[in-house]
Amino acid sequence: FTKHKIFTCNNFYLPEFVAKSLEKFKQFQVRQDDIWIVSFPKSGTTWVQELVYLIENECDFKKATQDSIENRSPFFDYPSPGLKHIENIKTKRIIKTHLPYCFLPDEVEKKAKVIYIVRNPKDVTVSYYHFTNLSTQAQFTGNFYDFTKLFIEGKVPYGPWWSHVNDYLAKKDVHLINYEDLHTRPFEVIKELSKYLGKNLSDDQIKSIIDWCSFDNMKKNPAVNYEWYKELGLYKKNGHFFRKGKIGDWLNHFAVDDSQKIDDIVEKKLQKKLDFNYGICNEDLN
Ligand code: A3P
């Protein structure tokens, strides 16, 4: 599936580089002022990373272009930049992770601010499938139907999706962001997020953040669009990290019976009811 073997730990499927570091993750020292951005892969993490950075830095757009998003909010689970590097960050930390809740460092929820992003699982499947084709680190050779089957069985890296989501939904101090809400009512979502982070932004500031973080603007922003991964050989040349950024692209991909299977997962396995805006999709799909 990936160049790194997949292991099962606590019934989660984890890439090798994650599975072998679980003990170190647990022992990582959390700080009171840390902000943790957590998600199942392909749920809109990058979007929220940029929002949080701008809220925290009170719309300092210039500063946001001076360093890449992965330096401004490092990926906890990945070997690069690594835990030592993150430990040594002197300023307030914004940390991204895809770890299931049970593998987070002790005291994260008690000490730090934790933001969890959730997205319609059908769009997650589509986005994840395309991502495995973009990444040179993935070695998945099947087609979309094969990938969906694995997703439904919970056997994609960081899966099962429903266990990942359930474990965070159960935590009362975790701030939940729904990808679809961010599309359909960005102003309110960003206002609530700012409040959670203890920042009081003006309406104009919120509007400027919405504009800065639109899909089109982020796609052409070289500090966030991951086009540099192509030079590093991590992404293939013929695709983009910023792929479509829509609600409802699953309609272009899913077979009816697989769609029903995911509806059943949402209905029966999710412990809370979430509104994924199944009925709404952005115009100009395809
Ligand atoms: P698609 O593949 O459906 O386009 P993550 O950051 O968790 O890896 O999620 C990536 C997904 O979020 C991709 O979905 C990407 O296009 C989408 N995304 C990133 N930034 C976005 C934005 N500003 N607006 C809408 N979608 C965005």
Side-chain angles (χ1 to χ4, degrees), residues 105-196:
D106 293 332
E107 299 201 308
V108 163
E109 198 199 1
K110 205 151 51 151
K111 276 191 166 173
K113 295 212 159 73
V114 181
I115 298 159
Y116 187 72
I117 309 136
V118 65
R119 184 182 189 187
N120 175 342
K122 295 180 200 173
D123 283 336
V124 169
T125 309
V126 171
S127 184
Y128 212 164
Y129 168 70
H130 285 291
F131 183 76
T132 59
N133 286 331
L134 175 68
S135 168
T136 56
Q137 305 307 295
Q139 287 187 327
F140 180 75
T141 51
N143 61 27
F144 178 72
Y145 300 101
D146 303 325
F147 187 85
T148 304
K149 188 168 181 289
L150 290 175
F151 186 93
I152 289 168
E153 289 168 357
K155 293 180 183 163
V156 295
Y158 294 99
W161 173 84
W162 57 90
S163 305
H164 201 289
V165 174
N166 274 335
D167 289 354
Y168 282 95
L169 290 182
K171 305 292 161 197
K172 69 174 178 25
D173 291 328
V174 168
H175 183 81
L176 185 70
I177 293 185
N178 182 312
Y179 176 91
E180 290 73 26
D181 285 347
L182 204 40
H183 265 281
T184 54
R185 45 181 201 94
F187 191 91
E188 289 89 338
V189 174
I190 295 172
K191 203 170 176 79
E192 283 160 20
L193 175 60
S194 320
K195 228 200 251 166
Y196 176 71

Side-chain angles (χ1 to χ4, degrees), residues 31 33-35 56 89-94 197 199:
R31 295 185 200 153
D33 64 347
D34 277 346
I35 300 170
E56 275 299 309
I89 294 175
K90 299 274 179 290
T91 49
K92 185 169 182 170
R93 300 182 301 194
I94 303 173
L197 295 174
K199 299 278 178 189

Side-chain angles (χ1 to χ4, degrees), residues 42-47 119 127 179 213 215 242-245:
K42 312 318 290 174
S43 300
T45 332
T46 315
W47 195 2
R119 184 182 189 187
S127 184
Y179 176 91
C213 294
F215 179 83
F242 281 79
R243 196 185 60 87
K244 270 196 183 172

